[in-house]
Amino acid sequence: MSSTAASAPAAASGASAPAAVPAAKSPKPGSLGRRRTLAQWGFIAPAVVFMLLFFGYPLVRNVVMSFQHYTPSTFFTGEAPFNGFDNWKNVFQDDLFGKALWQTILFTIGSLIGQFCIGLALAVFFNRRFPLNGILRSLILLPWLVPMVVSGVVWRRILDQDTGVLNSFLGLFGAGDTPWLSSTGMALISVIMVNIWIGIPFNMVILYGGLQEVPKEMYEAASLDGASAWRQFRSITLPLLKPVITVVLVLGFMSTVKILDLVLALTDGGPADSTQTLGTLTYQNSFAQLDFGAGAVVGNILILISAVFAVFYLRANRNEGK
């Protein structure tokens, strides 16, 4: 009797027990890795396609064009026979190329030094608290916001020898007849000064942002130790700003070495090619003389200069990180 009663509940409980659910299969490690890789490439693919279409193809096409006899008729016939290194020889044998290369070096170095020194001085000045600090910093940004062609046209009117505002002002002091843009000795200096004026806001903003990351406690400790303002600047500010300074100089070099629109708006490469740079030489070879092969050669040289500078920059950063 008791065994029957004991077996009944057991049978009842056995009948009411739910069936065992099979465990879900976990994905294999190999398939999970492939999915993750495909997802990563899915995010990267648009950027890769964009770079290949708008940077890779023009670069390769420009290199190929430098070895071709490319004329305006090529756009209609599609015929551009290869001429070996003739375009390169013609460019290197041209005296104007050497002159443009030297003036590009002077223009780049002069612009970078002026923009950086004045931009750093303004960044240090605005790093202090005083009334109208934010308003003045905003006003200094205006030259950077104006399109470069517009700045060039305005400065061409300002620097005009006969009707320019600058000479009219200097005339009050008996020095109002300076040929800023019409003299072979003054034209390049004038273009450099205008480019410095345009680039100061960019340098100031980036360096000002870097100064915000310098701990104020370090200046307080240096003051307690009796360090002068110049000693604090030399021992604290400059070393801690080194990564920011590197970025500013690299970006400034990349934008300055290939400059075109400012020079065209101010002097168009004149007078007597005294402001001719590699950028303007590329433009004149391609669109004024319609020698597209020579223009491609100068353009490739500009790309090579930028690439070499970028390699040195990356190696310097890598060694600094180690």
Side-chain angles (χ1 to χ4, degrees):
M1 178 90 181
S2 60
S3 61
T4 306
S7 61
S13 62
S16 62
V21 179
K25 294 183 179 180
S26 59
K28 297 180 179 180
S31 62
L32 184 61
R34 285 193 296 270
R35 290 178 183 176
R36 185 174 299 172
T37 303
L38 289 176
Q40 293 172 350
W41 277 106
F43 286 107
I44 297 175
V48 172
V49 172
F50 177 84
M51 293 292 292
L52 290 176
L53 287 178
F54 296 99
F55 290 93
Y57 173 74
L59 177 61
V60 173
R61 192 70 190 88
N62 197 64
V63 173
V64 174
M65 189 185 298
S66 65
F67 296 98
Q68 292 178 315
H69 182 62
Y70 210 97
T71 62
S73 62
T74 305
F75 292 99
F76 303 97
T77 63
E79 297 178 358
F82 281 88
N83 56 3
F85 288 91
D86 290 347
N87 293 329
W88 292 81
K89 292 178 182 177
N90 295 334
V91 169
F92 286 128
Q93 291 174 358
D94 187 4
D95 294 336
L96 183 56
F97 171 75
K99 186 176 183 180
L101 178 60
W102 173 243
Q103 289 171 170
T104 301
I105 295 173
L106 293 178
F107 176 78
T108 303
I109 294 177
S111 297
L112 289 181
I113 292 176
Q115 292 172 358
F116 173 76
C117 292
I118 300 176
L120 179 59
L122 288 175
V124 173
F125 175 75
F126 284 110
N127 196 36
R128 303 174 302 167
R129 291 185 177 181
F130 59 88
L132 303 180
N133 186 315
I135 296 177
L136 291 177
R137 277 191 289 117
S138 302
L139 292 176
I140 291 179
L141 287 177
L142 291 179
W144 188 37
L145 301 176
V146 176
M148 194 168 291
V149 175
V150 177
S151 298
V153 172
V154 171
W155 272 101
R156 185 168 185 169
R157 299 294 299 272
I158 293 174
L159 298 175
D160 188 86
Q161 183 178 357
D162 300 322
T163 61
V165 176
L166 183 57
N167 274 348
S168 299
F169 174 75
L170 294 177
L172 301 176
F173 306 96
D177 196 29
T178 305
W180 297 102
L181 299 177
S182 56
S183 169
T184 56
M186 288 294 300
L188 184 60
I189 297 175
S190 301
V191 175
I192 292 174
M193 289 192 303
V194 174
N195 192 51
I196 290 174
W197 177 80
I198 293 174
I200 286 174
F202 172 77
N203 284 258
M204 186 201 70
V205 169
I206 303 299
L207 294 172
Y208 177 81
L211 287 175
Q212 301 303 302
E213 301 300 324
V214 178
K216 300 297 186 293
E217 295 80 6
M218 300 186 68
Y219 293 110
E220 296 174 358
S223 299
L224 293 176
D225 291 338
S228 62
W230 171 246
R231 182 61 184 273
Q232 294 178 27
F233 176 78
R234 189 162 47 91
S235 302
I236 298 175
T237 305
L238 283 182
L240 294 181
L241 274 183
K242 188 176 180 180
V244 181
I245 291 174
T246 304
V247 172
V248 167
L249 293 179
V250 169
L251 294 179
F253 176 85
M254 295 296 183
S255 62
T256 304
V257 73
K258 61 179 180 59
I259 200 164
L260 169 65
D261 41 6
L262 178 64
V263 181
L264 290 181
L266 283 172
T267 62
D268 198 19
D273 297 320
S274 60
T275 58
Q276 198 78 255
T277 62
L278 292 181
T280 58
L281 185 61
T282 303
Y283 174 83
Q284 289 195 0
N285 283 338
S286 298
F287 301 105
Q289 302 176 9
L290 300 180
D291 189 353
F292 299 102
V297 171
V298 182
N300 289 330
I301 293 173
L302 270 175
I303 295 173
L304 183 61
I305 293 173
S306 300
V308 170
F309 190 83
V311 168
F312 279 110
Y313 162 70
L314 293 175
R315 286 193 174 185
N317 274 5
R318 185 183 304 172
N319 295 334
E320 183 180 345
K322 292 179 180 179

